Amino acid sequence: MAASALGWVLRAARQVLPSPCTKQVRSYYVDWRMLRDVKRRKLAYEYADERLRINAIRKNTILPKELQEVADKEIADLPRDSCPVRIRNRCVLTSRPRGVKRRWRLSRIVFRHFADHAQMSGIQRAMW
Amino acid sequence: STSSVLSTEKDESTTSKDSTTEVASKSQEGRAETPKQKLLDIIGNMKVEVSYRKKLQQLKTREVKKQATDKLGGPDSEGSMLQKTTEDAQRGKPLNPELVEAASAVASSLPFNKKQAESELLAQLRRHEEITDKQKKGGTINIRNVISEMSVKTQSPAQRGVRISNRISLELDEDGQRIKPGRLSPQSFDSRRYFSFFFLVYRSLKVGRRLNIFTKASTETENALKTVSSPTIWDLEFAKEIAAITAQPPRNGFEEMIQWTKEGILWEFPIDNEAGMEDDAEFHEHIFLEKHLKDFPKQGPIRHFMELVICGLSKNPYLSVKQKIEHIEWFQKYFEEKKELLQEI
């Protein structure tokens, strides 16, 4: 009786409080541009399905043109940050917009730093 | 001077108490020897700290103390005492002449009304005899039965849990290491003995026949109500505290990996390619989606368009059946909203 209620409460508490770790937790993004990029990614994820469907109507030769024009207007009405084109693959650690390797999501400088300290798995200095 | 008089009276009353207890105990020994000896043997075998004699003595001292306070109070209790003396006179059971002599001697030593004191002491003695007779017959708490039903001490799971919980202490030293409880610490030893006695008695109470002292109250409805009304804020706080205490930081890399797996950061090995995908639908539900096109017009460009959509969805292995149905329904809604526009065309 009381044990079951307590168990439910414990589960709820665990969800509310993620496990308290003693290491540093990143609570801030590197800079505001990174924050804006994060917002754009979230919105793009939300509106992805709608955009796909409206675009399917637009890029169509079967449906009448009037319908396609209406679809054009609709997609323009969606929030500007919802289009995936605005997302920039920045470096995860330094927020550098250029020189970012897609596989590791790191800029070339950070990548080189970690690789030299042998903290990148399977990366070796090239020599041939 | 009044205070000194009172203190002397109190001393006399205490001496009278001691004498009465001694006299009473001697008389008791003479009468209730054989059953008490049997009890003592049983107790000696069980090594339980229940002593019959001590209990009686305690009872006597309490009652005599009450009497002494009543006497010191004085005139208020006279009427009640007189009634008691008449009751005693009516009782047919004769007291031991030695006891009577002792009572008279004690009464003479007391400062107050001697006859009254004598009668009161005799009444006390009669009460004690009644109690012993009752206990002989087995009317009140029958310790013999309880002890006889006690069995050899075996480790019950609750006891074991208590011991384990005693060992695992959640306190931290200054260094951050846990305090290990000493095995032969005196506190734990006494608590263990105490707990063992408790669990013995508990088991014997469960095993023996019902005494029908208490009536079983219906607690089920209360429990049902309680589960609905709680949890309160205090319960939440308590739960948070427990979660904070139990969630210790990982001691090594393995525990860290376990934690990550629980959170979902790390995959479960060996890698399951279908982890997270719980598509219970059959293949025909994925491919034959024409049944969802019932509400669409059967002729015209829209039908053509939707058939293409279905063809594309049937070839899509990444979406679940639900997602595909949602896709089609979205199109349905969209075209219904644009019906007026379409009819103009």
Side-chain angles (χ1 to χ4, degrees):
Chain A
M1 172 265 292
S4 65
L6 206 79
W8 175 87
V9 167
L10 264 169
R11 260 171 261 137
R14 253 179 240 145
Q15 283 161 12
V16 166
L17 279 176
S19 58
C21 48
T22 50
K23 293 177 188 171
Q24 285 181 335
V25 183
R26 194 180 300 126
S27 48
Y28 299 101
Y29 288 107
V30 176
D31 55 7
W32 290 93
R33 282 170 284 178
M34 193 191 241
L35 211 172
R36 277 183 268 148
D37 198 52
V38 166
K39 281 187 207 170
R40 280 177 204 132
R41 281 167 195 267
K42 279 186 191 167
L43 271 181
Y45 181 81
E46 277 178 36
Y47 286 96
D49 294 335
E50 269 193 58
R51 284 196 101 96
L52 173 77
R53 288 155 191 168
I54 294 168
N55 268 327
I57 291 167
R58 281 170 71 222
K59 315 286 179 180
N60 217 331
T61 49
I62 305 160
L63 292 172
K65 285 182 189 175
E66 290 84 359
L67 201 65
Q68 285 170 5
E69 281 163 22
V70 169
D72 283 338
K73 282 180 202 168
E74 270 187 18
I75 205 165
D77 288 336
L78 289 175
R80 200 166 271 193
D81 276 349
S82 64
C83 61
V85 188
R86 293 186 118 223
I87 294 167
R88 181 80 195 184
N89 289 325
R90 288 177 165 271
C91 170
V92 163
L93 293 178
T94 53
S95 178
R96 198 161 191 274
R98 296 193 175 98
V100 180
K101 282 314 252 177
R102 202 172 186 137
R103 186 174 168 183
W104 297 277
R105 301 179 190 176
L106 293 174
S107 87
R108 55 179 178 82
I109 304 155
V110 178
F111 173 82
R112 199 157 170 278
H113 176 268
F114 284 132
D116 287 340
H117 287 78
Q119 284 161 4
M120 297 294 278
S121 171
I123 302 296
Q124 200 188 21
R125 274 193 163 259
M127 200 170 13
W128 72 99
Chain B
S1 65
T2 49
S3 62
S4 64
V5 165
L6 280 166
S7 62
T8 49
E9 283 174 1
K10 276 178 190 169
D11 291 334
E12 283 180 342
S13 65
T14 50
T15 52
S16 75
K17 262 184 262 166
D18 293 332
S19 61
T20 47
T21 51
E22 281 169 23
V23 163
S25 63
K26 280 178 196 167
S27 69
Q28 289 299 327
E29 278 182 13
R31 238 170 267 150
E33 202 173 4
T34 43
K36 202 180 73 176
Q37 262 190 354
K38 281 182 194 171
L39 267 169
L40 282 169
D41 290 334
I42 294 160
I43 289 161
N45 291 334
M46 293 311 303
K47 294 179 190 174
V48 172
E49 288 176 20
V50 177
S51 67
Y52 183 76
R53 198 173 154 192
K54 274 186 193 172
K55 273 190 184 175
L56 273 180
Q57 279 187 354
Q58 281 170 14
L59 278 168
K60 279 174 221 161
T61 48
R62 263 180 246 151
E63 290 190 28
V64 173
K65 272 180 200 167
K66 274 187 204 170
Q67 283 258 307
T69 49
D70 287 335
K71 281 172 208 165
L72 285 169
D76 296 328
S77 56
E78 271 187 17
S80 59
M81 287 302 171
L82 279 168
Q83 284 173 7
K84 280 182 186 170
T85 52
T86 50
E87 284 174 9
D88 293 335
Q90 282 166 14
R91 277 180 208 157
K93 204 175 179 187
L95 282 171
N96 209 355
E98 291 177 3
L99 274 176
V100 172
E101 282 178 17
S104 61
V106 164
S108 61
S109 69
L110 283 169
F112 288 103
N113 197 354
K114 287 172 191 176
K115 281 189 184 175
Q116 209 184 54
E118 200 182 307
S119 57
E120 284 159 18
L121 284 167
L122 290 171
Q124 272 295 313
L125 289 167
R126 279 223 177 85
R127 257 179 262 161
H128 290 315
E129 280 183 32
E130 275 187 13
I131 289 163
T132 52
D133 287 338
K134 267 192 192 175
Q135 279 174 332
K136 272 190 223 171
K137 286 168 195 171
T140 53
I141 308 159
N142 206 342
I143 293 167
R144 207 187 291 169
N145 280 353
V146 173
I147 292 166
S148 63
E149 280 159 13
M150 280 195 217
S151 57
V152 178
K153 182 180 109 171
T154 53
Q155 219 182 22
S156 59
Q159 208 179 6
R160 207 191 297 157
V162 162
R163 284 193 187 173
I164 287 163
S165 64
N166 281 342
R167 273 183 207 151
I168 300 166
S169 70
L170 292 166
E171 295 168 14
L172 289 169
D173 247 348
E174 289 165 12
D175 299 336
Q177 292 172 355
R178 286 179 201 160
I179 295 168
K180 283 183 189 174
R183 281 186 186 178
L184 293 171
S185 61
Q187 271 186 3
S188 65
F189 194 61
D190 289 338
S191 65
R192 237 181 272 167
R193 279 182 72 195
Y194 193 60
F195 273 124
S196 63
F197 171 67
F198 251 128
F199 284 116
L200 266 173
V201 173
Y202 189 65
R203 276 190 116 204
S204 66
L205 285 169
K206 273 196 277 187
V207 163
R209 54 188 148 77
R210 281 174 170 273
L211 295 168
N212 291 325
I213 298 168
F214 303 108
T215 53
K216 197 175 181 183
S218 63
T219 52
E220 289 167 10
T221 50
E222 289 174 25
N223 294 348
L225 283 168
K226 271 185 187 175
T227 48
V228 171
S229 59
S230 64
T232 59
I233 297 166
W234 304 114
D235 288 338
L236 287 166
E237 277 297 315
F238 185 55
K240 276 182 196 171
E241 266 188 61
I242 289 169
I245 287 163
T246 52
Q248 297 288 333
R251 293 179 293 179
N252 51 33
F254 291 115
E255 289 198 5
E256 200 183 30
M257 282 202 275
I258 289 165
Q259 211 172 355
W260 284 345
T261 313
K262 279 183 195 168
E263 284 172 30
I265 296 165
L266 200 63
W267 285 346
E268 284 179 18
F269 295 96
I271 289 175
D272 180 22
N273 274 324
E274 288 166 17
M277 271 172 57
E278 287 177 18
D279 220 6
D280 304 324
E282 299 286 312
F283 73 97
H284 56 84
E285 286 174 48
H286 280 271
I287 291 163
F288 303 113
L289 297 161
E290 266 187 345
K291 54 188 170 181
H292 303 292
L293 283 186
K294 281 179 195 173
D295 297 331
F296 284 96
K298 293 181 187 180
Q299 297 287 332
I302 293 173
R303 182 78 187 194
H304 189 34
F305 173 73
M306 288 313 295
E307 279 175 6
L308 285 172
V309 166
I310 277 164
C311 181
L313 282 176
S314 66
K315 292 179 188 178
N316 190 336
Y318 302 108
L319 295 177
S320 67
V321 178
K322 269 190 185 178
Q323 284 169 326
K324 289 179 186 176
I325 294 166
E326 272 177 28
H327 200 84
I328 294 164
E329 278 175 6
W330 185 91
F331 275 114
Q332 205 173 43
K333 261 194 246 171
Y334 184 81
F335 285 125
E336 274 181 21
E337 282 170 20
K338 310 295 169 187
K339 253 189 184 180
E340 296 161 5
L341 189 76
L342 290 168
Q343 274 158 11
E344 282 173 29
I345 305 159

